[in-house]
Amino acid sequence: MNDPDNEAEQALKELDADETAKGERIDQWLAARLQPDLSRSRIQALMREGAVHLNGQPATEPKRKLVPGDRIVITMPEPAPAEPVGEDIPLDILFEDDDLIVINKPAGLVVHPGAGNWTGTLVNAMIHHCGASLSGIGGVRRPGIVHRLDKDTSGVLVVAKNDLAHRVLSEAFADHGRTGDLERAYDALVWGSPARVAGTVDAPLGRSGTDRTRQAVVPETREDARHAVTHFTVLERFGQKEDATAMAALVECRLETGRTHQIRVHMAHIGHPLIGDQDYGRAFFTKANKLGDTLGPVVRMFPRQALHARLLAFSHPVTGEPMRFEAPHPQDLAELLEGFRRWSPNGKT
């Protein structure tokens, strides 16, 4: 018979910082003491969820430095539902070997099981497709997710099939290509157009104060502020005027960091939210009324943010071989772009 009191004790992890903690980041110090039970990334996730308390207060910033005597309490969440099961979901596979698989993810496909989406995800599809070729991530036969695309963002995504590939690729994505060969390019169709052909948005992101499911640009002094940098290049302008303003533009975005909803929030921050973005561009929806009877209804009915992960390049985690993959625009985005080109035949920048 299970002992309820013992189970309650197991739900908490309590630690007192000693002299070794002086000046150490809280996530690093905890990871060094709690591995293999809790990895650093898992600790960071628990902090974001409010499950880590420092001296009785929520500790949400992994960079927080410790001092001897600090009291840390981790409240472990209830066990997650059973491991995902394989499901026969079609995959557009760009490349596959014993270590990894690269797919062209369609819009509408959730990457990982979670609240409200325990089935029908990319992970379920991968378990079915890969079968015994998955040697296991952390001792469990499941695919290793090293980066994600929003449910309604399409494009290139790589998934690890074993622990080694998962570790090497995770390190590459955490580094964001600063010291390696990682390269990511996204195509975004936005309202209006930046005045300059190329530029950079350097603005920290954190949880929105009005909706916890959304991100927002926040002051860098805020405890949960996370450094975020997006580089953009205008590829086409539609409905361009003499002052270089336009009704819409196709913009290539390259990430220097990889935060949740980064491109969507950054483009909205500079006044050019993505067409179709229900979360960050709703105030611009009436602009479709200026597009006429042919294009206007198409834009109003576009069911998702117009964002596509077109390019992904990286070094193979085992062989070191350079790998580069591009996915053409999916049909819905291609038709939307063609509609803008017909509406504005001189749309090239």
Side-chain angles (χ1 to χ4, degrees):
M1 180 181 296
N2 291 335
D3 182 351
D5 291 334
N6 187 48
E7 288 181 0
E9 291 176 1
Q10 290 177 344
L12 293 177
K13 292 184 181 294
E14 303 180 20
L15 302 93
D16 292 311
D18 55 20
E19 288 297 325
T20 66
K22 187 176 182 179
E24 287 288 310
R25 286 173 50 131
I26 184 172
D27 61 336
Q28 293 176 333
W29 189 81
L30 287 173
R33 277 145 189 80
L34 297 176
Q35 286 185 348
D37 293 339
L38 292 177
S39 67
R40 184 176 170 188
S41 61
R42 178 60 176 146
I43 290 168
Q44 291 174 343
L46 288 170
M47 293 182 75
R48 290 193 295 270
E49 294 166 5
V52 180
H53 282 70
L54 176 64
N55 301 325
Q57 298 296 320
T60 59
E61 178 47 64
K63 294 184 291 186
R64 174 74 177 268
K65 299 297 178 63
L66 292 171
V67 297
D70 279 340
R71 177 76 165 173
I72 303 147
V73 177
I74 304 174
T75 305
M76 299 302 295
E78 291 294 321
E83 286 293 322
V85 297
E87 296 179 52
D88 188 4
I89 300 170
L91 293 173
D92 181 2
I93 299 171
L94 305 179
F95 175 85
E96 182 178 9
D97 65 9
D98 291 340
D99 301 298
L100 56 86
I101 182 170
V102 181
I103 71 157
N104 179 18
K105 186 188 89 69
L109 180 64
V110 174
V111 171
H112 200 280
N117 295 287
W118 294 117
T119 61
T121 71
L122 174 62
V123 167
N124 298 110
M126 286 282 296
I127 291 172
H128 177 273
H129 171 80
C130 296
S133 69
L134 290 176
S135 64
I137 306 297
V140 180
R141 192 179 297 280
R142 59 183 171 83
I145 303 300
V146 297
H147 69 124
R148 302 189 187 194
L149 298 176
D150 290 344
K151 173 184 177 181
D152 289 327
T153 297
S154 55
V156 187
L157 186 143
V158 60
V159 181
K161 296 173 69 174
N162 56 56
D163 264 325
L164 174 61
H166 185 240
R167 177 176 60 79
V168 175
L169 286 172
S170 294
E171 291 173 354
F173 276 86
D175 183 63
H176 303 295
R178 285 185 287 266
T179 60
D181 297 328
L182 182 69
E183 182 182 359
R184 289 179 289 174
Y186 296 73
D187 286 352
L189 182 59
V190 305
W191 287 113
S193 176
R196 293 176 298 163
V197 171
T200 297
V201 184
D202 185 345
L205 300 182
R207 285 194 182 275
S208 167
T210 58
D211 185 341
R212 288 184 57 81
T213 66
R214 301 183 188 182
Q215 298 291 300
V217 171
V218 300
E220 62 181 8
T221 55
R222 211 173 86 173
E223 188 176 12
D224 69 333
R226 307 186 75 191
H227 181 56
V229 179
T230 303
H231 305 285
F232 67 83
T233 302
V234 179
L235 304 178
E236 295 182 61
R237 289 189 174 106
F238 307 107
Q240 184 171 341
K241 301 177 182 178
E242 292 183 1
D243 60 0
T245 61
M247 176 62 71
L250 177 63
V251 178
E252 179 189 85
C253 295
R254 291 182 178 252
L255 300 180
E256 189 174 312
T257 57
R259 309 303 182 198
T260 301
H261 298 176
Q262 180 174 317
I263 292 173
R264 299 165 62 188
V265 178
H266 271 175
M267 295 310 295
H269 178 64
I270 63 172
H272 304 292
L274 274 61
I275 288 176
D277 195 330
Q278 298 280 345
D279 292 325
Y280 304 105
R282 180 173 292 277
F284 282 67
F285 279 14
T286 57
K287 285 185 174 290
N289 297 334
K290 300 179 181 180
L291 297 174
D293 294 337
T294 300
L295 180 58
V298 175
V299 172
R300 282 191 291 270
M301 293 297 292
F302 197 71
R304 65 182 183 98
Q305 65 266 7
L307 182 63
H308 176 67
R310 175 176 51 82
L311 167 68
L312 178 62
F314 56 92
S315 295
H316 192 284
V318 176
T319 68
E321 177 187 357
M323 311 196 77
R324 189 179 184 88
F325 302 95
E326 291 197 53
H329 294 152
Q331 183 176 351
D332 64 343
L333 182 57
E335 291 177 351
L336 184 62
L337 282 167
E338 188 57 33
F340 271 98
R341 290 176 182 130
R342 288 194 298 267
W343 176 81
S344 174
N346 297 318
K348 295 288 184 179
T349 60

